[in-house]
Amino acid sequence: MNKARVRFAPSPTGFVHVGSLLTALYDWLIARQTGGTFILRIEDTDQKRFVPGSVENLLSVLKKVGLNPDEGVMLDKDGKAVQKGKFGPYVQSERLDIYRKYADQLIESGDAYYCFCSEERLTALREEQEKNKQLTRYDGHCRDISLEEAKARVAGGEKYVIRQRVPQDETMIHNDIIRGEVKFPLDSIDDSVLMKSDGFPTYHLAVVVDDHLMEITHVIRAQEWLPSTPKHLLLYRSFGWSAPQFAHMSHLLNKDRSKLSKRQGDVAVEDYLTQGYLPEALLNFLATVGWNEGDGSEQEIYSLDELIRKFSLEKIHKTAAYFDREKLDWINGIYIRNLSVEKLTDLCLPYLESEIKNSKADMTYLRNIIALEQERLKKLADLPGLVSYFFVDLPDYPTEMLVWKKSTAEVTKKNIEMLFDFMFGLKKWDKEHLEKEIIGWIGDNKLTNGEVLWPLRVALTGLEKSPGPFEVAAVLGREKSLARIKSAIESL
Ligand code: GLU
């Protein structure tokens, strides 16, 4: 493929949706794969939906996951949003005079017309159409006003919008990279507004003008924009421009096929990062949600470099893509296990801030704790719940928990008293020795593993479920372990 120029063109309306990150990832992969350019453009023509701070937030999310733009809006070294590139400005609200010029050109060529219909008329029209169960659409009321008359009314200060004149007797054929050939009979397409009365363009005009002027080669966007594509293709034709290639991606669905909620907590990339999903794992997961390399491959784990080599828009699935959180957890677990303990501990520190502060734990102790959990950890924010018992003087639990299901309090007490004396005499305190010695001792005393190891583990952790007693005792060390067993004996 020639060098691609691809743009990620979000509207700054708050948090970053996982679906948006998926679009950005596809864009980025195509840019890297072709030695091309990943451009970030801000589509803020709908000023009512603008949320202050969203651009900076978006850029910081992209930075955290490593998808930094090559051109357009980006962060400078002080963390401020700046614009770079020769096709700017890259923020649509700063390009109003450009859109105005092209809207005027469409008026002159007859591909657009002035519309003076009032809000009241349009509302009444819509209500009437809804009542009659008709398609709600503009009825072409101002289509045939002569250009001369329309210009005179505009000059006279009448309020207007500019609408696209969609030919009614034609079928537009669109070839989508993902969806293949799609036919749009144009008589079902509305004369959409291109320029609003406040002087702002609508998405339709702005996206076409910008994609052309910024020399975009591939438009990768959500399926919800597919019905708008014939309008855009018509605009390209009206201007005499050749259109970029389009790839319309399927919606992300939950595993049960319901639509992925729009609620921030479920879909905000920021929240996934805060929960301790590793950026590389999140990208790996997203890349394989709606794509695989085909040829029967069942590969699920891809490094970014491998994705750059193997990814192709043609192999994105046409069918819905499932956002399966269990799979995300599984992939995140794999990335967590692939980290060195040192690196993982560094990443975990912010999640254990209060535990560390209260217990003055040192780095070796922390690394041992993390090494213990590394095997089963799914996301970093789960850590405090799993390991807080390492950071308290004595764990807090109901005494009955110490008693194994096939035993009694008296027997339990007797057993762990004996065990305490035995462990007190042990010289070496690592997992292997503890395991060998204690298992041997259980056998010598004709006891069962359950009646000894259950209370031992509860005494050390205070939990129904935890890693095994030998590894926990090894991490806690001799002194803390013995103190916990002693306290368990006293409570029985
Ligand atoms: N601003 C649009 C959005 O946020 C972009 C659509 C496109 O990529 O053309 O969905």
Side-chain angles (χ1 to χ4, degrees):
M1 221 198 282
N2 293 333
K3 287 185 180 190
R5 286 181 56 82
V6 278
R7 87 300 192 273
F8 174 42
S11 303
T13 54
F15 63 91
V16 185
H17 192 283
V18 283
S20 293
L21 182 61
L22 179 56
T23 315
L25 174 62
Y26 286 167
D27 283 323
W28 185 87
L29 287 172
I30 291 297
R32 292 291 76 86
Q33 187 173 70
T34 60
T37 311
F38 174 49
I39 299 153
L40 182 69
R41 181 172 77 221
I42 297 295
E43 303 209 327
D44 60 346
T45 55
D46 190 351
Q47 295 277 303
K48 288 196 289 293
R49 292 173 63 221
F50 181 77
V51 177
S54 356
V55 174
E56 289 74 13
N57 176 55
L58 169 84
L59 291 169
S60 99
V61 167
L62 289 179
K63 185 170 176 203
K64 279 185 196 148
V65 300
L67 304 183
N68 291 312
D70 308 312
E71 183 183 316
V73 183
M74 58 182 84
L75 287 179
D76 69 3
K77 38 180 199 333
D78 305 321
K80 236 182 65 219
V82 293
Q83 300 188 37
K84 281 203 186 118
K86 59 176 182 173
F87 297 94
Y90 294 88
V91 176
Q92 288 187 329
S93 59
E94 296 170 22
R95 299 170 61 81
L96 299 185
D97 47 346
I98 302 177
Y99 307 125
R100 162 63 54 189
K101 177 179 137 207
Y102 285 102
D104 289 346
Q105 190 179 318
L106 291 172
I107 288 279
E108 291 307 320
S109 66
D111 293 301
Y113 60 91
Y114 292 109
C115 168
F116 303 96
C117 291
S118 64
E119 275 308 321
E120 295 73 44
R121 180 175 186 277
L122 294 174
T123 310
L125 174 66
R126 193 171 50 244
E127 284 169 0
E128 181 68 18
Q129 289 170 336
E130 274 167 5
K131 203 173 85 203
N132 299 332
K133 305 218 167 4
Q134 289 168 327
L135 213 61
T136 52
R137 54 186 298 181
Y138 182 60
D139 61 355
H141 187 74
C142 295
R143 236 177 184 247
D144 298 321
I145 299 174
S146 73
L147 185 54
E148 215 185 348
E149 181 194 333
K151 279 186 172 169
R153 287 170 72 172
V154 169
E158 217 175 310
K159 204 170 154 193
Y160 67 91
V161 299
I162 293 177
R163 286 184 187 273
Q164 183 173 22
R165 189 188 302 276
V166 178
Q168 299 296 294
D169 49 358
E170 201 186 316
T171 293
M172 174 74 71
I173 298 180
H174 161 60
N175 270 304
D176 197 87
I177 302 179
I178 299 172
R179 323 210 86 76
E181 188 180 281
V182 192
K183 288 190 176 141
F184 296 97
L186 293 187
D187 58 4
S188 64
I189 307 269
D190 210 0
D191 281 357
S192 294
V193 174
L194 298 177
M195 199 69 151
K196 295 179 275 189
S197 55
D198 61 2
F200 272 76
T202 58
Y203 164 68
H204 303 305
L205 178 64
V207 78
V208 168
V209 168
D210 288 351
D211 284 343
H212 171 72
L213 295 180
M214 295 178 186
E215 298 179 5
I216 300 303
T217 56
H218 298 74
V219 169
I220 305 166
R221 63 185 176 192
Q223 190 183 349
E224 68 195 82
W225 298 114
L226 186 63
S228 300
T229 305
K231 301 177 191 180
H232 302 172
L233 291 173
L234 270 176
L235 285 173
Y236 280 102
R237 188 167 83 188
S238 302
F239 287 124
W241 298 336
S242 58
Q245 283 188 278
F246 290 90
H248 287 92
M249 307 153 43
S250 299
H251 290 303
L252 289 178
L253 297 182
N254 290 312
K255 222 174 135 193
D256 65 3
R257 306 191 63 100
S258 61
K259 210 164 168 225
L260 202 59
S261 125
K262 286 214 187 318
R263 280 191 326 172
Q264 176 158 357
D266 298 327
V267 291
V269 177
E270 298 85 322
D271 292 348
Y272 281 94
L273 295 174
T274 315
Q275 286 172 49
Y277 287 98
L278 306 180
E280 314 79 64
L282 192 57
L283 293 182
N284 183 153
F285 166 70
L286 282 175
T288 56
V289 153
W291 168 89
N292 78 15
E293 53 183 296
D295 303 327
S297 162
E298 291 190 0
Q299 186 171 340
E300 305 269 22
I301 302 300
Y302 289 92
S303 68
L304 273 180
D305 281 344
E306 203 178 1
L307 281 174
I308 292 171
R309 269 185 284 116
K310 294 186 168 170
F311 178 75
S312 78
L313 291 170
E314 287 77 9
K315 293 216 166 114
I316 293 178
H317 307 153
K318 243 190 258 190
T319 48
Y322 294 105
F323 193 87
D324 177 351
R325 275 154 232 244
E326 281 167 33
K327 184 171 160 196
L328 172 59
D329 283 351
W330 174 73
I331 292 184
N332 203 46
I334 292 178
Y335 278 80
I336 286 177
R337 288 194 285 287
N338 280 343
L339 292 173
S340 69
V341 176
E342 288 73 20
K343 173 80 186 153
L344 179 59
T345 307
D346 289 346
L347 293 178
C348 290
L349 292 180
Y351 294 85
L352 295 173
E353 219 167 73
S354 59
E355 282 80 2
I356 296 171
K357 205 160 71 213
N358 298 333
S359 70
K360 305 195 205 71
D362 69 17
M363 215 44 185
T364 314
Y365 188 55
L366 286 170
R367 286 193 183 135
N368 290 340
I369 294 170
I370 300 300
L372 189 59
E373 288 299 334
Q374 187 167 16
E375 272 305 305
R376 59 210 118 208
L377 192 59
K378 293 198 175 107
K379 54 182 190 296
L380 308 189
D382 292 342
L383 258 186
L386 295 170
V387 303
S388 56
Y389 63 89
F390 280 109
F391 299 94
V392 291
D393 283 340
L394 291 170
D396 189 21
Y397 54 91
T399 305
E400 315 84 78
M401 201 196 272
L402 286 166
V403 182
W404 188 48
K405 58 181 188 294
K406 294 190 195 158
S407 187
T408 62
E410 293 72 44
V411 175
T412 306
K413 183 167 181 163
K414 196 177 106 237
N415 287 344
I416 54 172
E417 268 171 353
M418 281 159 49
L419 178 66
F420 178 88
D421 292 341
F422 176 70
M423 286 176 73
F424 193 84
L426 290 176
K427 296 270 162 331
K428 280 196 155 170
W429 202 273
D430 57 52
K431 184 196 165 241
E432 285 67 34
H433 274 88
L434 287 166
E435 180 159 6
K436 190 167 140 266
E437 296 288 348
I438 294 174
I439 295 288
W441 177 85
I442 290 173
D444 294 345
N445 288 280
K446 311 246 173 325
L447 296 169
T448 64
N449 283 354
E451 65 188 332
V452 175
L453 300 184
W454 174 270
L456 173 59
R457 203 187 51 69
V458 173
L460 297 175
T461 65
L463 297 175
E464 293 268 5
K465 276 194 192 137
S466 75
F470 310 118
E471 46 256 79
V472 173
V475 172
L476 280 170
R478 185 170 194 278
E479 202 181 317
K480 282 200 188 107
S481 302
L482 291 174
R484 288 177 187 211
I485 302 170
K486 196 164 187 63
S487 145
I489 296 168
E490 281 160 9
S491 75
L492 276 162

